[in-house]
Amino acid sequence: MYEQDRLHGPLRRALPGLLLAGAGLLCLVIGAVLRGDEATVALFAAAGALLAISGLLALYRGIRRSRAQAALVVLRQLAEGDPAPTLIEDASGRLLFANHTAARWFTLVSGDHVADLLAEMTPEPEELRHRVLLRAEGGGVSEEVVSPSGRYRLTLALVETLSCWRIDRLPQTAAPEIPGEAIGAPDGETAAPGPEAAGAAPVPVLTVGRSGTVLYMNDVARRMIGRRIRRVDEVLELPLRSGKLYQIVTPEGTRSVRLRCADAGVGRQEVLLHPVDQPSPGRARSGLDDLPVPLLRLAPDGHILHANAAACRMLEVSSADGTLLGSHMEGLGRSIADWLADAAAGRGLHRSEFLRLSRPEREVFVQVTLNRVMDGGRTELVALLNDATELKTLEAQFVQSQKMQAIGQLAGGVAHDFNNLLTAISGHCDLLLLRHDQGDADYADLQQINQNANRAAGLVGQLLAFSRKQTLSVERLDLRDTLSDLTHLLNRLVGERVQLILRHDPVLPQIRGDRRQLEQVLMNLVVNARDAMAAGGEIVIETQRVVVQEALSRDRARVEPGVYACVKVVDQGEGIPQDKLQKVFEPFFTTKRTGEGTGLGLSTVYGIVKQTGGFIFVDSVVGEGSCFTLLFPAYEEVAAAELPPAEPERAAAAPEGGAVLLVEDEAPVRAFAARALRLRGFSVIEAETAEQALEVLEDASLKVDVFVTDVVMPGMDGPSWVRRALELRPGTRVVFVSGYAEESLDKSRVAVPNSVFLPKPFSLSELTETVEQQLA
C-alpha cells in the first residue's frame, strides 16, 4: 500500500484563515495605539468583521476537510480489497493513495501525480486525464485506452474533492481472432500486471487524428515501417477497417498486417498493426512482390500461380495464389476462359480487356493486359492490372448522355409528326360534330373519336415532356399552394392502405413554372410510390428551402450555388436495385410487370423538371424505400424592364371576317384549318410552302390581315418568310402553329412583332378564337 504525506495540506488550506485572524489582531493593536474614540470604534468593528469571516472560512474548510478525510477512509477501505490497480488523487492531481496492486504495477515516488503514472500507458497522459475529468461531470465515467502493451479501461469516480481511478486490463482475446499470431498472455496465465510486464508482446501502434494525420508512433511501429510517417495513407489504404487485412511495405519487403482500431476520443483513433504469418521459408521469393504495380502470374486455365502485394491490395485479399481468376473478376461480354486460351496460343496479346471486380457494394473495373512467357517449358501468362473505374464511369456517362440525347431527338420528331396527324383527326372530327347534334346516331361515335384523339395527344405530350420540347405556361408558383390544391386528388390516388403525409417549410421560396405540368410531376411520383408499397405504408411529401453554398455535382448534373425550393417524395416501398437506379428516367423502362406501366411516367417527370430549369435525383435502398428529390431555382423579383414603345394604332379596323394567309405543308392540317376559318367568315388564301406564300404576297392589290403559318416546313421556315413578308406588309398580325414547343421560337420571335403561338394539336374553336383575337 502507498499513501502520500498529507501534513502540509491542512496547513496550506488554513493559511487564508490565519492571515485574516492576523489582520484582525493587527487592527486591535493599531486601535490601542490610537486614542481617538471614533477611530478606535471603527478599527474594532473592522477587526470583529475580519475575525468573523476568518472563523466562517475556518469552519467551512474544516467541514470540507473532514468530509474529504471521511471519503478518503471509505475509498481506501474499498480500494484495499480491489484486485485492480486503484489510485486516489486530490483536486490538484497529486497522488494520495495507491492500493497494493497499483504498487506492483507502477514505481511510486513521493510527490507523484496520477498523470505521471498514466504516462506509462499513453503518450499524452495530461490530455487523457483532463478529458476524462471533463466527461465525468461530478459522476463516474470510463474510457478505453489502447497502448503498445495492450488495452485498458480507465474508470473514474469523483467523491467530494477526490478522484478515484481504477485501471482494468482488458483481455487480448476480446480482439478479432487473427490466425498465426499470439495475442496477450499464454493460456492459463493471468494478464500481465503492468503496462511494461513481460507477458505483453510489443505491437506496432499508431495514433491517428481526424484527417489521417499520424499523431504518434511507438518504437515497434517505426521499426516495422522503417521511418516516421506523417499520414496514415502513406502505408495504409483508407478507410481503415478493424479486422481487415492490409499489405504494407517494410524495409524487409511487403508484409501482411491485420488492423485493430479503437476510438481514443476527440476524433482520435488508436490503430494496432498485427502481423500475419508470412509464407514459409522454403518458398522462393518472387521479384514481382517488390514491384509497385499489380501483377499476376496465370496458368492458361485461369489459375493464379502468384499475385504480388499490389495485386492483392487491389483484389482486397491476403493471398490470391491458387485461386481462379474468374472468382475475383468477371468479363464484360467475353468469356475469361476464351480470352486466356487465345492469349496462351499467342493471339490477342498486348490488347487490353476490361473486367469487373466482384464487389457487391460498388462497381470496380480493371484494365488487364496479358503477355505470354515460358517458364521451364511451360506456358504462363503475366497479367498487368490497372484501375479503370474512373475511365469506365466517364465512358458510361458519355454513352448515357448520347443515348438520352438521341432518344430525345427521336421522341421530339415522332411527337411532331403525331401532332400533325392528331390535328387533322381531331379537326375533321370537330367539323363533323358541327353537322350532328346529340340526337344523331353518329354523335356518340364522333365523341369517342374525339376523346381518344385527346388521349393520344396526352401520350404525345409525354414524349414532348421527355424531350423537353413541350409548351409550358410559366407563372410564379408557391409549391405549398400547389400541393394543398392537390391533396384531395392525391389522397384518392393512394387509396386507403397508404397514408399521405405533407410537411412544409414555412419559408419556402417561390419558383417559376407551369402549374399543370408540376401537378403532373407530383402525381406521377406519388403513383409510383403507391405502386411500390403493395402492403401499404406512408408516403411523405416534404418541402424545404435549400441553400447551395458551393457547386454540387451529382449524377452527371451540376447544381450551381444559389437558393432552391426542394421537394422530397419518400416512400417505404421495395426500393430500386443499384444497377437499375440510373435507368429509371429512361423512356419505356419500367420495373413493373407487362401491362402495368408504359415506362413513360418518370421520363415525363424528368423532362418537365429539366425544362423548368430544375434537377431531380433519386436515392433508394432495396427493402427500405426510395426518395425522389426535386430542386427548383428560387424565383427572384427583378426590376421592371423598360417597356417597348406602344404600337401605333391602326388607321381603320379590319373588315369583319378578315383575310387570312394560311401556310401549312401538311395537306390534311391545311384542309381542316382552311374549312374551319371559312366557316367563321374568314377569307382564306392557302399556300403549301413559304416560297409559295411570298409569291402570293407579291400581288400588291391583295389584302391580308393575318398570317397563319407552320413553323417547321421544308425549305424556308415560318419565322424566316414572315420576317421578309413584314418588310412589305408591316403591322400584319401573325399566328405561328407548331408541334414543337414555343421555346423553339424564342429567338425568332424577337424580330417578329404582333405574333402569338398556337401549339398542335389544336381544335376548331382554339384556331378560330386565336385568329379573331389577333384581328380584335
Side-chain angles (χ1 to χ4, degrees), residues 562-723:
V563 180
Y564 293 85
C566 175
V567 182
K568 290 185 178 180
V569 181
V570 185
D571 64 64
Q572 300 172 338
E574 303 172 355
I576 306 171
Q578 292 296 317
D579 59 336
K580 296 181 179 179
L581 205 57
Q582 299 300 325
K583 300 179 181 179
V584 295
F585 298 118
E586 296 182 9
F588 309 112
F589 176 83
T590 179
T591 57
K592 300 178 183 178
R593 292 179 295 182
T594 303
E596 294 185 356
T598 62
L600 285 175
L602 289 179
S603 63
T604 302
V605 169
Y606 179 86
I608 294 173
V609 172
K610 288 296 184 182
Q611 192 172 1
T612 309
F615 303 87
I616 180 168
F617 305 108
V618 56
D619 300 284
S620 184
V621 178
V622 176
E624 297 184 11
S626 304
C627 174
F628 286 85
T629 303
L630 311 177
L631 291 176
F632 298 101
Y635 177 77
E636 298 180 357
E637 294 283 356
V638 295
E642 184 179 353
L643 297 176
E647 298 178 16
E649 296 184 2
R650 285 173 288 180
E656 184 178 356
V660 177
L661 175 57
L662 175 63
V663 184
E664 172 63 61
D665 61 308
E666 289 286 339
V669 177
R670 187 173 68 252
F672 149 67
R675 288 185 57 189
L677 293 172
R678 290 190 179 105
L679 287 174
R680 289 298 179 93
F682 292 101
S683 173
V684 180
I685 305 169
E686 299 182 34
E688 184 176 357
T689 63
E691 290 78 7
Q692 184 178 351
L694 292 174
E695 291 178 3
V696 171
L697 293 176
E698 290 178 357
D699 185 358
S701 63
L702 182 64
K703 181 172 180 58
V704 177
D705 301 303
V706 180
F707 298 151
V708 179
T709 176
D710 194 5
V711 176
V712 180
M713 296 182 294
M716 190 180 300
D717 61 13
S720 299
W721 82 262
V722 168
R723 282 195 298 270

Side-chain angles (χ1 to χ4, degrees), residues 427-437 443 446 449 675:
H428 285 90
C429 185
D430 288 342
L431 292 174
L432 288 173
L433 286 172
L434 292 176
R435 301 197 300 269
H436 294 75
D437 56 28
Y443 186 83
L446 293 173
I449 295 174
R675 288 185 57 189

Side-chain angles (χ1 to χ4, degrees), residues 28-50:
L28 289 176
V29 173
I30 296 174
V33 174
L34 296 175
R35 298 185 180 273
D37 293 336
E38 294 182 359
T40 303
V41 172
L43 287 174
F44 270 95
L50 290 174

Side-chain angles (χ1 to χ4, degrees), residues 53-121:
I53 294 173
S54 65
L56 291 175
L57 285 175
L59 178 62
Y60 172 73
R61 294 186 182 277
I63 293 174
R64 288 196 62 187
R65 182 167 61 254
S66 62
R67 292 176 60 180
Q69 289 175 349
L72 178 61
V73 172
V74 175
L75 291 176
R76 284 181 55 187
Q77 293 173 352
L78 294 174
E80 281 293 349
D82 195 341
T86 304
L87 308 171
I88 302 175
E89 66 172 355
D90 61 13
S92 66
R94 192 169 56 88
L95 182 64
L96 300 178
F97 172 80
N99 67 355
H100 291 287
T101 310
R104 292 198 305 269
W105 269 52
F106 305 101
T107 303
L108 301 177
V109 180
S110 178
D112 270 345
H113 284 66
V114 169
D116 300 331
L117 304 181
L118 295 180
E120 301 180 26
M121 302 172 54

Side-chain angles (χ1 to χ4, degrees), residues 410-421 460 464 665-666 710-713 738-740 760:
L410 175 63
V414 170
H416 173 262
D417 292 339
F418 264 95
N419 275 333
N420 281 326
L421 296 175
V460 173
L464 284 174
D665 61 308
E666 289 286 339
D710 194 5
V711 176
V712 180
M713 296 182 294
S738 177
Y740 289 113
K760 295 179 181 178

Side-chain angles (χ1 to χ4, degrees), residues 445-494:
D445 296 333
L446 293 173
Q447 285 286 13
Q448 284 293 328
I449 295 174
N450 200 12
Q451 291 175 6
N452 283 280
N454 291 332
R455 289 181 58 189
L459 184 63
V460 173
Q462 288 184 310
L463 289 174
L464 284 174
F466 166 72
S467 60
R468 289 177 251 171
K469 294 180 179 179
Q470 64 175 344
T471 301
L472 297 180
S473 179
V474 179
E475 58 182 309
R476 189 171 62 182
L477 298 175
D478 189 326
L479 289 173
R480 293 170 296 186
D481 296 338
T482 304
L483 285 169
S484 298
D485 296 340
L486 270 180
T487 301
H488 180 67
L489 176 59
L490 294 178
N491 280 318
R492 292 179 56 189
L493 285 175
V494 299

Side-chain angles (χ1 to χ4, degrees), residues 373-454:
V373 297
M374 301 301 293
D375 185 8
R378 296 179 305 173
T379 301
E380 293 184 1
L381 298 172
V382 177
L384 172 64
L385 311 181
N386 286 310
D387 190 341
T389 304
E390 184 175 357
L391 176 63
K392 294 297 289 184
T393 302
L394 292 174
E395 179 184 348
Q397 292 177 355
F398 177 74
V399 171
Q400 178 75 2
S401 175
Q402 293 289 96
K403 180 171 63 174
M404 298 293 278
Q405 182 180 359
I407 294 176
Q409 291 177 348
L410 175 63
V414 170
H416 173 262
D417 292 339
F418 264 95
N419 275 333
N420 281 326
L421 296 175
L422 292 173
T423 301
I425 293 172
S426 60
H428 285 90
C429 185
D430 288 342
L431 292 174
L432 288 173
L433 286 172
L434 292 176
R435 301 197 300 269
H436 294 75
D437 56 28
Q438 295 185 3
D440 291 345
D442 296 334
Y443 186 83
D445 296 333
L446 293 173
Q447 285 286 13
Q448 284 293 328
I449 295 174
N450 200 12
Q451 291 175 6
N452 283 280
N454 291 332

